[in-house]
Structures are given as structure tokens and as C-alpha cells.
Amino acid sequence: MTVQQAAGPDPYFPANGDARYRVHRYELALDYRPGPNRLAGTARINAIAGRAPLPEFQLNLGDFKIGRIRVDGRQPHYTHRGGRLRIRPAKPLRAGAAFTVEVHWSGNPKPVASPWGGLGWEELTDGALVASQPIGAPSWYPCNDRPADKASYQISITTPSAYAVVAGGRLLTRTTKASTTTWVYEQSAPTSSYLVGLSIGKYQTVLLGDPGLGGVPQHGHIPSDLLPEFSRDFARQPAMMELFQELFGPYPFDEYAVVVTEEELDVPVEAQGLSLFGANHVDGARGSERLVAHELAHQWFGNSVSIADWRHIWLNEGLAKYAEWLWSERSGGRTAHQHAAAAHRLLSTLPQDLRLADPGRKSMFDDRLYERGGVTVHAVRCALGDIAFFRMLRGWAGQHRNGTVTTATFTSHASRFTSEPLDQLFDAWVYGTRLPPMPSAETGIAV
């Protein structure tokens, strides 16, 4: 595992996260009532101070009422303004010291405002869902909200028994008492705060395929009236899982779930071990199949192998975009080279002022980043040849499993799989803005 933590605040979101310490485990106990959209919670956060003493530290949390805070069992001084919970322990924490924070909070969760609209907790007509990328996690729990600070999670959620709760990870227990049910999930793999997914609704649960001995359990959670369309649209997901494990290495988590809400979503959203789709992504004609592949690929690229800060988001999106093209190539559709050529033609008609390695906050979700990211990965494939390229991809996912990376980590890694220098390729595709010529080598999968 490789962990590369940025030394200071995230350059795109300096108000989010605190680099002076790291969390290794969150234990969340939540009670949610859908009707009044009322959330009450307790968080137990186990953390470790960094290399310097810690007289105070910060968590991110939305506009909730704070009931109680303790640091190692003692009451600290704290302030809570503008989504920042600043905590000053009774005694400064020693460098490298393990410490525990307990926070009680309650209120009406609402999305975090952002340039892309509300992020995080979203109240639905009948239930709720969480889609936090990139800064929505504080909309429902206190966290060190930076992608490089990955921790394990146990999440206990009590809701009225009519509702199902789906979270990323393994369901440990489900206990019904009177009119409420408590669901307890465990996500043991290190997880970035924005990747903690959650959905509360009235769902029917189905098994996708037969995982077999040692296979990956895959479940769908969907409104019952969408089951016929879902059964066709997601029928090939088990084959995607098989292909991606062949190309990228073993699936990095215990299981994988997809949730389809009754409402429309602009785009599907990945979480750790979980992806969220809107009803508009289910049409019975596999009209969104590329997105099914894209979200599954994020489990390797973005979730298991995470970025150190948001400047490097192309590593998540470019590799997931290329996975779409690999699935098309293997399943009888257009080849990855044909997809890359089409993307290149589109990019040639658009402004050429985007730098993959540091697109800026305003452009981090620009369509050009996805398309250019995919073509860049294809350029690397053309330069390496298929055998070395897929060895490189499997090595990338395996060596950095559960870790965090940067663009420089990727360029250095890829360069180890060829005797020819790749500096000019990366200077042009990743660090430059002008669109380079389309890679000319026609390739097919040979692994």
C-alpha cells in the first residue's frame, strides 16, 4: 500500500480536511426519520496525530446542533461555524499520539452547497441518499474530509422498518424492534470520506449472477416496479466484473452493490463497494451500460487506488472512461481505438486550455477531462503495447491497493514498463494543454 498525503490543505478545497492528523476508524451510530428528515448521530473517531503536537484540530460537519464532544473522554473547547468544527483538547495531543473523538449531533441534514449544486445528503420523496463527491460527506457526519485520509467504517443506522438501508460494505446485522430496524454495516477497507455511500428507501433486493466459489457477491437494490428493466440493463455486470478482474486484478472489496432510486439523477455516483443510479439510467434497453462499466471500474480506480488531492482527479476518471471502452471492445462493440478516435475528434473541436494534471476546481468535472483522460490512457497503451500495458494496469491497481497516489506516481509507474522514455508523451497529454495528435497504433486486447 502506498499513501501519499499532501502536506497542507487541498489546493481546491482548503476549508476541507486537516492534514495534521489522520483517522484510522469511524464508528457511526445514526437514527434517521424520513418524514421529518431528522437525523441524530454519534460518531466515535479513532485518529493519530501527525509529526507535530496538536493543540487543536478540525473536523468538517454541516449545520447541526452539537450535543456533546469528548476527546479521550474529556470535554474540549470547540467552535462550530461554516461547516468547520474546531476542537481544542484539554491538553495538547502529543506528536504521533493515538486519540479518540466522540461527537453527538442532530438536526435536518441537507446538501452542502458547491459549484455543482448540492452535494451529500439528499432527501428524496420517500427516503434519502448520499452522493458526496467531492465535498458532501460533512452533510451527514463529522469527518476529516480529504480524499487522502482513508479509514475503516462501521455504520449503524436505525430507521422505520418499512425502509431498507444500503451502505457500502458488508451487512453485519439487521435487528427489528417494534416499528424500527437497525442495520449495521462494516467497511474494513480504507475509505475516503466522500466515498461513504448510503441509501434509504423501499427496495427489492436481487442477486446479480452466481458469484460461485470465491466470487464477488453482487446485489441490486431497486424499486420493485423497475425490476424488469433493471434485470436487462444490469444483466452483463457479472461479465464486466469477470473482465475487469482479468484486466485490473482482483476486485478490491468484499462485495459490490448497486442501488437504483425512484428519482432521476444527473449522473450515477460511485461509492466504496456501492454505486448509485437514478431511475433515468434504467430503460430496459441497456442504454446506460457504459455507465454501469464506468462505476464498476471506479472500485479499482478512485476507490481502492485513491488520489492524494483533487488535482489528480483525471486518474480516477480517465481510467474509468477507458474501462468503458475496454468493455465495449471485449463485448462486441467498438474497439477502444475507435472510441479514442471519436473522443479525439470531439476534443479537437473544443477549447484546448485544460491541463489534466491540474485542471483547476472549476474544470475538475469537465467532460473534456474524462475524454482526454481516456485518450491519454490509450496513448500509453499504444506506447507500451498490450502485454506491457495490461501488466502495468494490474501492477498499478495491485501495488497501490488501499493507498493514495498522484499524477507523478502514475507517470513513474508506467515508465517502468518500457525501455523507451515516456516523458514526451506525458508532457504533451498530461501536463500540456494543446491536444496532441491521435495515437496511431491500432490495438486489441492481448493479455
Side-chain angles (χ1 to χ4, degrees):
M1 181 180 73
T2 303
V3 176
Q4 300 189 4
Q5 294 243 30
D10 188 295
Y12 291 0
F13 305 101
N16 284 66
D18 189 334
R20 296 172 297 173
Y21 72 97
R22 61 183 177 88
V23 178
H24 65 87
R25 183 166 178 81
Y26 292 85
E27 295 176 355
L28 307 178
L30 310 173
D31 186 293
Y32 180 64
R33 306 297 154 144
N37 186 39
R38 183 75 178 174
L39 179 69
T42 300
R44 183 178 175 86
I45 302 169
N46 297 318
I48 300 174
R51 296 179 180 179
L54 207 56
E56 54 89 24
F57 59 92
Q58 172 186 299
L59 291 164
N60 292 104
L61 180 64
D63 186 18
F64 292 98
K65 179 182 178 181
I66 303 296
R68 188 174 89 156
I69 296 179
R70 295 289 185 268
V71 177
D72 291 334
R74 303 180 66 182
Q75 183 172 338
H77 175 74
Y78 71 88
T79 60
H80 184 210
R81 299 188 191 95
R84 296 193 197 190
L85 182 57
R86 299 182 183 274
I87 300 173
R88 181 177 293 274
K91 289 177 55 178
L93 299 165
R94 300 189 316 276
F99 63 100
T100 300
V101 186
E102 184 181 317
V103 182
H104 297 239
W105 74 100
S106 62
N108 300 108
K110 60 184 179 181
V112 173
S114 83
W116 310 280
L119 301 172
W121 190 282
E122 183 176 349
E123 181 186 8
L124 304 178
T125 302
D126 195 15
L129 67 81
V130 169
S132 292
Q133 188 179 18
I135 56 168
S139 67
W140 64 290
Y141 75 100
C143 56
N144 190 13
D145 192 30
R146 53 201 313 267
D149 196 13
K150 303 174 70 171
S152 67
Y153 282 79
Q154 185 175 105
I155 305 176
S156 168
I157 306 175
T158 300
T159 62
S161 296
Y163 294 87
V165 174
V166 183
R170 185 164 55 95
L171 178 62
L172 298 182
T173 61
R174 183 178 65 188
T175 307
T176 298
K177 293 182 179 179
S179 61
T180 64
T181 298
T182 299
W183 307 66
V184 181
Y185 283 88
E186 176 74 28
Q187 177 56 269
S188 58
T191 306
S192 301
S193 52
Y194 82 92
L195 288 171
V196 183
L198 177 67
S199 185
I200 299 170
K202 296 175 180 176
Y203 300 125
Q204 182 170 342
T205 298
V206 297
L207 180 66
L208 284 163
D210 181 1
L213 188 63
V216 180
Q218 301 174 63
H219 290 92
H221 307 272
I222 66 272
S224 58
D225 61 324
L226 292 177
L227 182 58
E229 292 85 357
F230 175 88
S231 298
R232 176 170 173 77
D233 291 340
F234 285 78
R236 301 209 290 183
Q237 184 179 281
M240 293 177 191
M241 178 71 78
E242 186 176 346
L243 174 64
F244 290 170
Q245 290 195 95
E246 174 191 339
L247 300 182
F248 310 148
Y251 178 73
F253 309 117
D254 292 333
E255 51 192 83
Y256 182 58
V258 293
V259 172
V260 178
T261 74
E262 288 188 326
E263 302 189 25
E264 295 191 356
L265 300 180
D266 290 340
V267 293
V269 181
E270 77 274 11
Q272 189 120 316
L274 172 70
S275 293
L276 303 168
F277 293 80
N280 52 310
H281 300 122
V282 177
D283 60 8
R286 296 209 298 256
S288 296
E289 188 170 84
R290 71 171 186 86
L291 300 176
V292 177
H294 186 103
E295 302 310 322
L296 176 58
H298 270 313
Q299 303 304 319
W300 285 265
F301 307 123
N303 299 8
S304 175
V305 182
S306 303
I307 50 176
D309 63 61
W310 291 107
R311 291 174 296 181
H312 312 288
I313 189 172
W314 83 273
L315 290 171
N316 297 358
E317 301 304 344
L319 286 161
K321 171 60 72 174
Y322 201 68
E324 295 177 31
W325 301 348
L326 291 173
W327 167 249
S328 171
E329 181 168 283
R330 177 59 70 94
S331 63
R334 289 193 296 173
T335 66
H337 190 82
Q338 290 170 329
H339 278 287
H344 190 275
R345 288 193 295 272
L346 174 64
L347 289 165
S348 69
T349 68
L350 300 174
Q352 297 181 26
D353 57 359
L354 180 82
R355 179 176 290 105
L356 282 186
D358 188 0
R361 189 171 79 168
K362 290 182 179 179
S363 298
M364 60 185 285
F365 296 117
D366 193 304
D367 286 347
R368 292 174 297 164
L369 181 136
Y370 292 65
E371 300 294 338
R372 182 165 177 148
V375 183
T376 298
V377 176
H378 188 67
V380 174
R381 180 181 178 183
C382 292
L384 297 183
D386 275 9
I387 292 175
F389 173 76
F390 287 107
R391 282 180 54 224
M392 183 276 293
L393 272 191
R394 285 190 291 266
W396 176 250
Q399 293 170 32
H400 301 290
R401 179 174 176 141
N402 294 333
T404 56
V405 295
T406 65
T407 297
T409 319
F410 181 78
T411 59
S412 175
H413 175 82
S415 296
R416 299 191 189 108
F417 291 82
T418 176
S419 58
E420 301 296 324
L422 297 178
D423 295 4
Q424 287 187 340
L425 185 155
F426 287 123
D427 284 347
W429 282 101
V430 176
Y431 296 104
T433 57
R434 182 180 177 184
L435 183 67
M438 173 64 195
S440 59
E442 178 72 74
T443 56
I445 295 181
V447 294

